[in-house]
């Protein structure tokens, strides 16, 4: 089978452009939905997706990155950029999916489609580990399982692949049909079904019915009757199925589970015989995921003995790109459990989003089982590193050093991890961001340990994927157009702020807020460009606030006067945020202050009130709901009186994390999201929809108290 090639004109035909696209023979190899993540701009096609953000707004940015080809749904943008090539469609997402489907249909590879509430990514990664010897596998990178992620994953299929493993995740009804159309799995796997409300469905049945749509083209289905009720089971009874259960009779009926240290021994009935296997894990989720993999391989006709052999060798899947504080002010991105090209690409994207250090080092092992010649592989990797502006490569393994001439950055090579560890003290690591990425057999865990070694400190790991997932969770609760101010005060609740601020900036929150000016200054120095509100601006810090484009919270007339007096004589306008007291009777303006406040603001042309806000004191507690309602009403009243006199409309905001969950009427123009980002929300009865983002590793337990005193906790 030949690898299909796509010219711009060909794609226009496939995705049914509404405009005439003729004789544009530019080869398109890369689909881009995010202007920041372009690699080969010349051959890239930018899809201006319209979702929470309107992708059309980023056309300018994409052009600046060198992209010349676009798929849009707003034809007026053609006029703005005459030298540019556009395909106009009704729905950009559908166009992307149509192209992915078309590409996928050029191949006859076998595909496994995985859906369910939990475990999709682990099952996918484990099946990859279990089957990589027998197949050349394409799989979705990390958890690319959405309407966009699946399309981008399918685009990666190449003619040499003979098995595809893709996950499909949905958050609303009617999404699965499209994923099913794209993936067309031959084998379906339903991992499990959790609580319905956690995923935006009215009922468990509705959720399951929707998920099962993935399998409408499948020939075979692997599932547990424990998660599927009788009527639903009947609805796909024509499919060949293979069931597993720990509770009832099934094709693979697990009847005994024995934990032995870190291992678990599983015993089951299969085809009337007793079989067993050992899993090198002991937690509940891993056991269930392991059983699903066991069932899948048996259903693919592997012998029980062969499956047991392979299961015993399963290894841990790192679900996150952990970012850690390292030695000598370095930041460490620890992805030391796997090395393949697609996850390397993601990790490099992440590395390039980190603005806190200009120097970027990649420690990378040889890559295996890529299905490419070494020359092709390392040429591609060298290009990738240079596109991502990596300053230094430390290559580890027998192979990579042979291709040293391909790399344009500084390089150092070691034949194995041991020789790197021996040389560690002679290597320089200082004020840089370091990506550590190696195939399992290289045991790069040792390297990341060396780099994060701290004697008297705790190492805080932040699970950035979890934080993004929490951000999306709250974003989904907002009415259209409502902005997000992320609270990164107290150095992000003690977790180190610039990494988090970078991530939040990348994921397009609208505002950041810090407690003190020095936190805001640190963020500016780390390259954060988002607007930043400073909640406790000391008069002594006004000058620094002004010179770092920070925006003070103003809570009294005295502070306002002091700030105005501190303005430089440049005639520019400076932004402030007015705090209104709606209940705590501590700091803030109230109705009686409005006249004086307006008078003062009218006297100077140089102050712009960017927002007016107040704080919900008891938004999570039902017993104080009457009080909260009064707070909201008072705030509304104050804001409407005030803006009437002011003559323009500042942003209004009031809700914190629990306020977002419980008080949709308090969303106004913006919400202030704090602790929810870290996976805590006192207003949620079921926290399972949030993910825990922080893990503290104590390097030296006896020093905890001093760490706490130093403000690290
Ligand atoms: C900390 C803070 C928040 C965020 O509160 P959470 O409950 O952590 O979401 C919102 N507003 C103000 C003024 C804050 O100080």
């Amino acid at each position: 089978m030949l690898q299909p090639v796509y010219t711009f004109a060909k794609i226009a035909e496939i995705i049914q452009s509404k405009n005439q696209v003729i004789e544009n023979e530019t080869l398109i190899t890369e689909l881009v939905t995010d202007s920041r993540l372009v690699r080969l701009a010349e051959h890239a096609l930018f899809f201006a997706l319209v979702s929470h953000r309107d992708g059309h707004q980023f056309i300018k940015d994409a052009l600046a990155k060198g992209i010349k080809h676009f798929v849009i749904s707003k034809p007026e943008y053609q006029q703005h950029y005459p030298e540019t090539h556009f395909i106009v469609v009704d729905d950009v997402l559908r166009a992307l999916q149509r192209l992915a489907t078309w590409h996928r249909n050029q191949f006859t590879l076998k595909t496994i489609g995985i859906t369910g509430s939990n475990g999709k990514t682990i099952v996918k990664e484990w099946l990859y580990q279990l089957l990589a010897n027998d197949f050349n596998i394409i799989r979705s990178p990390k958890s690319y399982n959405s309407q966009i992620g699946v399309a981008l994953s399918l685009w990666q299929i190449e003619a040499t692949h003979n098995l595809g493993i893709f996950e499909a995740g949905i958050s609303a009804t009617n999404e699965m049909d499209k994923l099913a159309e794209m993936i067309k799995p031959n084998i379906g796997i339903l991992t499990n079904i959790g609580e319905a409300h956690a995923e935006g469905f009215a009922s468990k049945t509705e959720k399951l019915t929707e998920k099962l749509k993935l399998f409408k083209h499948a020939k075979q289905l692997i599932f547990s009757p424990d998660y599927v009720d009788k009527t639903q089971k009947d609805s796909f009874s024509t499919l060949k199925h293979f069931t597993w259960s720990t509770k009832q009779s099934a094709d693979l009926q697990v009847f005994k589970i024995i934990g032995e240290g870190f291992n678990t021994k599983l015993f089951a009935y299969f085809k009337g015989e007793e079989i067993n296997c050992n899993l090198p894990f002991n937690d509940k989720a891993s056991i269930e995921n392991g059983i699903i993999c066991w069932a899948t391989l048996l259903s693919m006709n592997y012998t029980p003995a062969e499956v047991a052999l392979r299961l015993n060798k399963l290894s841990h899947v790192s679900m996150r790109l952990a970012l850690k504080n390292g030695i000598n002010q370095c930041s460490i991105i620890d992805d030391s459990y796997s090395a393949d090209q697609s996850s390397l690409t993601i990790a490099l994207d992440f590395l390039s989003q980190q603005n806190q250090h200009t120097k970027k080092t990649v420690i990378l092992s040889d890559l295996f089982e890529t299905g490419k010649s070494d020359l092709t592989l390392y040429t591609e990797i060298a290009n990738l590193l240079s596109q991502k502006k990596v300053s230094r490569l430390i290559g580890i393994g027998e192979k990579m050093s042979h291709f040293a001439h391909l790399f344009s950055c500084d390089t150092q090579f070691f034949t194995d991890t041991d020789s790197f560890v021996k040389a560690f003290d002679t290597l320089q690591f200082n004020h840089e961001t370091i990506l550590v990425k190696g195939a399992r057999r290289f045991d790069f865990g040792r390297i990341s340990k060396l780099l994060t070694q701290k004697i008297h400190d705790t190492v805080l790991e932040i699970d950035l994927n979890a934080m993004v997932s929490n951000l999306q969770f709250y974003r989904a609760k907002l009415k259209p157009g409502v902005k997000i101010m992320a609270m990164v005060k107290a150095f992000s609740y003690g977790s180190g702020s610039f990494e988090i601020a970078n991530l939040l900036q990348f994921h397009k929150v609208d505002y950041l807020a810090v407690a003190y000016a020095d936190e805001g200054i640190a963020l500016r120095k780390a390259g954060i460009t988002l607007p930043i509100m400073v909640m406790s601006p000391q008069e002594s810090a006004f000058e620094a606030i002004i010179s770092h484009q920070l925006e003070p919270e103003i809570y009294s007339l005295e502070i306002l006067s002091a700030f105005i007096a501190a303005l430089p004589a440049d005639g520019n306008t400076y932004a402030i945020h007015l705090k209104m007291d709606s209940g705590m009777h501590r700091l803030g303006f109230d109705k009686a202050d409005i006249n004086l406040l307006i008078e003062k603001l009218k006297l100077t042309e140089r102050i712009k009130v960017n927002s007016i806000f107040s704080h919900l004191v008891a938004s999570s507690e039902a017993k104080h709901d009457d009080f909260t309602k009064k707070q909201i009403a008072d705030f509304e009243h104050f804001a409407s009186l005030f803006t009437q006199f002011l003559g323009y409309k500042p942003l209004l905001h009031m809700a914190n994390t629990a306020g977002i969950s419980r008080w949709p009427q308090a969303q106004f123009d913006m919400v202030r999201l704090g602790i929810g980002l870290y996976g805590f929300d006192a207003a949620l009865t079921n926290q399972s929809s949030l993910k825990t983002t922080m893990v503290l590793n104590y390097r030296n337990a006896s020093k905890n108290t001093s760490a706490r005193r130093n403000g690290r906790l």
Side-chain angles (χ1 to χ4, degrees):
M1 207 180 311
L2 282 178
Q3 186 68 20
V5 284
Y6 300 93
T7 62
F8 184 67
K10 173 81 182 168
I11 290 178
E13 186 192 318
I14 295 170
I15 65 178
Q16 303 170 7
S17 66
K18 297 205 290 184
N19 57 333
Q20 280 271 330
V21 173
I22 33 171
E23 287 185 2
N24 183 322
E25 297 301 311
T26 310
L27 279 185
I28 299 295
T29 56
E30 195 180 327
L31 308 186
V32 179
T33 58
D34 185 324
S35 57
R36 296 158 303 183
L37 300 181
V38 55
R39 283 175 278 273
L40 294 168
E42 206 182 318
H43 299 291
L45 178 60
F46 180 88
F47 284 76
L49 294 168
V50 179
S51 56
H52 190 75
R53 295 278 167 156
D54 181 354
H56 293 80
Q57 290 171 359
F58 300 102
I59 292 177
K60 200 165 156 208
D61 185 43
L63 281 166
K65 298 258 163 66
I67 298 181
K68 297 193 180 67
H69 296 86
F70 294 84
V71 180
I72 58 173
S73 58
K74 298 185 175 167
E76 61 273 21
Y77 278 82
Q78 293 176 97
Q79 277 101 59
H80 303 333
Y81 307 106
E83 294 297 297
T84 308
H85 306 284
F86 289 101
I87 297 173
V88 183
V89 295
D90 286 325
D91 180 338
V92 175
L93 177 60
R94 282 304 294 149
L96 174 66
Q97 296 179 334
R98 213 170 250 147
L99 179 57
T101 309
W102 204 93
H103 181 68
R104 187 255 174 275
N105 288 343
Q106 304 312 298
F107 305 96
T108 53
L109 81 174
K110 192 198 227 3
T111 44
I112 299 178
I114 307 172
T115 194
S117 299
N118 298 301
K120 295 186 286 290
T121 305
I122 299 288
V123 168
K124 180 194 69 191
E125 291 297 317
W126 278 357
L127 287 176
Y128 172 78
Q129 291 181 14
L130 294 165
L131 296 169
N133 271 336
D134 307 333
F135 295 93
N136 188 10
I137 301 174
I138 167 82
R139 67 197 200 280
S140 17
K142 295 270 169 185
S143 43
Y144 269 39
N145 62 23
S146 66
Q147 297 287 315
I148 300 166
V150 166
L152 295 176
S153 302
L154 292 170
W155 179 252
Q156 306 297 326
I157 302 177
E158 295 179 8
T160 52
H161 293 127
N162 54 12
L163 175 65
I165 310 178
F166 298 103
E167 39 173 311
I170 49 168
S171 52
T173 44
N174 300 324
E175 288 186 348
M176 195 57 101
D177 276 329
K178 290 175 190 134
L179 299 184
E181 228 20 77
M182 285 194 274
I183 301 175
K184 292 202 186 64
N186 314 106
I187 300 177
I189 298 176
L190 177 71
T191 57
N192 65 19
I193 293 293
E195 287 309 311
H197 62 86
E199 288 173 88
F201 290 92
S203 70
K204 217 160 164 160
T205 313
E206 180 189 295
K207 181 162 76 160
L208 184 58
T209 307
E210 183 67 22
K211 296 208 181 215
L212 291 172
K213 287 184 187 163
L214 176 63
F215 308 124
K216 65 179 173 199
H217 303 287
K219 305 223 160 40
Q220 181 164 5
L221 180 58
I222 294 140
F223 70 97
S224 170
D226 305 350
Y227 293 118
V228 178
D229 66 29
K230 172 108 185 43
T231 46
Q232 283 162 324
K233 210 169 138 188
D234 292 344
S235 76
F236 52 81
S237 58
T238 51
L239 280 179
K240 209 170 112 191
H241 37 77
F242 188 103
T243 56
W244 60 271
S245 175
T246 54
K247 301 193 181 101
Q248 51 184 303
S249 100
D251 295 317
L252 178 67
Q253 185 189 349
V254 180
F255 66 88
K256 196 157 62 178
I257 300 178
I258 302 177
E260 290 177 351
F262 292 114
N263 293 291
T264 306
K265 253 194 132 78
L266 300 171
F267 299 84
Y269 299 118
F270 170 65
K271 291 190 173 164
E273 297 198 8
E274 207 182 303
I275 63 172
N276 65 65
C277 71
N278 181 61
L279 285 178
F281 297 93
N282 61 4
D283 62 289
K284 222 170 137 204
S286 296
I287 293 170
E288 181 167 289
N289 295 333
I291 294 173
I292 294 168
C293 293
W294 197 11
T296 306
L297 264 70
L298 289 172
S299 82
M300 292 171 80
N301 295 325
Y302 283 89
T303 64
E306 179 63 26
V307 185
L309 211 64
R310 294 186 185 194
L311 286 172
N312 193 34
K313 285 191 272 183
L314 279 181
S315 73
H316 178 78
V317 177
S318 165
M319 290 290 290
R320 55 196 193 197
L321 284 173
L323 187 63
K324 303 172 180 175
N325 294 324
I327 53 168
N328 308 332
Q329 317 294 324
C330 292
S331 306
I332 314 297
I333 301 172
D334 184 1
D335 198 6
S336 55
Y337 294 100
S338 73
D340 57 79
Q341 232 175 325
S342 63
S343 68
L344 175 64
T345 307
I346 294 174
L348 284 171
D349 282 338
F350 183 67
L351 176 70
S352 69
Q353 290 155 28
Q354 296 299 314
N355 303 316
Q356 63 270 30
H357 307 296
T358 46
K359 182 163 178 192
K360 288 173 184 166
T361 293
V362 172
I363 304 180
L364 180 68
S365 77
D366 285 353
L367 268 59
F368 299 94
E369 288 145 13
T370 59
K372 295 181 178 160
S373 77
D374 285 346
L375 179 63
T376 313
L377 174 67
Y378 290 105
T379 307
E380 288 177 8
I381 290 180
N383 289 338
L384 208 52
L385 295 187
S386 99
Q387 285 149 20
K388 292 293 161 194
K389 305 201 168 47
V390 170
S391 351
R392 170 167 66 155
L393 167 72
I394 297 179
I396 299 183
E398 304 277 348
K399 284 193 290 181
M400 210 182 312
S401 60
H402 300 307
F403 301 95
H405 59 281
L406 296 173
F407 296 95
S408 55
C409 55
D410 291 343
T411 52
Q412 274 167 295
F413 294 95
F414 297 89
T415 50
D416 51 32
T417 307
D418 261 340
S419 31
F420 173 88
V421 169
K422 283 202 189 92
F424 186 74
D425 288 339
T426 67
L427 298 168
Q428 299 283 333
F429 294 103
N430 237 315
H431 289 277
E432 58 198 288
T433 309
I434 307 170
L435 168 65
V436 182
K437 189 142 180 63
R440 261 174 292 147
R441 64 183 84 168
F442 283 90
D443 192 15
F444 271 15
R446 291 168 68 197
I447 296 180
S448 63
K449 236 186 225 135
L450 282 175
L451 288 168
T452 54
Q453 198 169 52
K454 284 200 179 170
I455 298 153
H456 299 308
D457 204 354
T458 51
V459 175
L460 183 72
E461 285 183 29
I462 308 156
D463 181 344
L464 298 152
N465 288 336
M467 180 165 284
V468 172
S469 151
N470 294 340
L471 175 65
Q472 308 302 23
F473 172 81
Y474 286 101
R475 198 165 252 165
K477 290 182 180 290
L478 299 182
K479 298 171 196 164
V482 174
K483 297 181 190 304
I484 296 181
M485 175 184 270
M487 311 304 284
V488 292
K489 60 188 174 203
F491 289 101
S492 290
Y493 294 68
S495 61
S497 56
F498 52 68
E499 296 93 343
I500 292 191
N502 261 313
L503 185 80
L504 294 168
Q505 173 164 300
F506 184 77
H507 287 279
K508 301 207 176 294
V509 305
D510 303 274
Y511 250 100
L512 296 176
V514 296
Y516 297 103
D518 55 350
E519 298 168 57
I521 293 165
L523 292 182
R524 286 282 180 255
K525 287 189 174 149
I528 300 297
T529 54
L530 282 176
I532 300 173
M533 176 171 96
V534 178
M535 292 190 293
S536 307
Q538 266 122 357
E539 272 189 57
S540 57
F542 280 161
E543 206 174 308
I545 284 181
I546 289 163
S547 63
H548 290 89
Q549 296 94 48
L550 305 173
E551 304 174 6
E553 166 186 333
I554 299 292
Y555 46 80
S556 72
L557 288 164
E558 293 73 45
I559 298 278
L560 180 60
S561 306
F563 185 66
I564 292 172
L567 293 180
D570 58 4
N572 292 340
T573 311
Y574 289 86
I576 62 166
H577 300 265
L578 291 181
K579 166 84 176 282
M580 184 232 159
D581 175 15
S582 62
M584 289 210 282
H585 305 298
R586 293 212 308 246
L587 296 175
F589 296 100
D590 65 28
K591 247 176 22 194
D593 299 319
I594 289 184
N595 286 340
L596 279 173
L597 191 53
I598 291 288
E599 217 168 90
K600 207 160 194 73
L601 289 170
K602 292 255 148 115
L603 272 177
T604 167
E605 301 271 85
R606 306 199 42 212
I607 295 289
K608 165 100 191 297
V609 181
N610 269 8
S611 83
I612 309 173
F613 73 101
S614 191
H615 191 57
L616 288 177
V617 184
S619 54
S620 68
E621 292 168 88
K623 68 171 186 250
H624 295 306
D625 281 357
D626 286 340
F627 175 73
T628 300
K629 278 184 203 144
K630 180 162 183 314
Q631 271 199 294
I632 298 173
D634 284 355
F635 176 64
E636 259 179 318
H637 184 58
F638 175 94
S640 78
L641 270 180
F642 180 78
T643 40
Q644 200 179 315
F645 290 112
L646 187 67
Y648 57 91
K649 280 188 67 109
L651 296 170
L652 305 186
H653 48 111
M654 191 164 202
N656 61 343
T657 297
I660 302 172
S661 297
R662 292 191 69 232
W663 297 97
Q665 66 270 52
Q667 289 183 5
F668 298 104
D669 302 311
M670 182 154 78
V671 294
R672 297 190 305 274
L673 180 57
I675 200 77
L677 279 173
Y678 301 84
F680 306 97
D681 184 341
L684 288 184
T685 44
N686 182 338
Q687 302 256 346
S688 66
S689 28
L690 290 176
K691 299 187 174 157
T692 311
T693 55
M694 295 197 277
V695 187
L696 271 178
N697 284 326
Y698 298 110
R699 296 290 182 183
N700 181 337
S702 66
K703 298 286 181 183
N704 284 354
T705 39
S706 82
R708 194 173 291 124
R709 220 178 304 119
N710 294 337
R712 293 265 314 130
L713 286 183

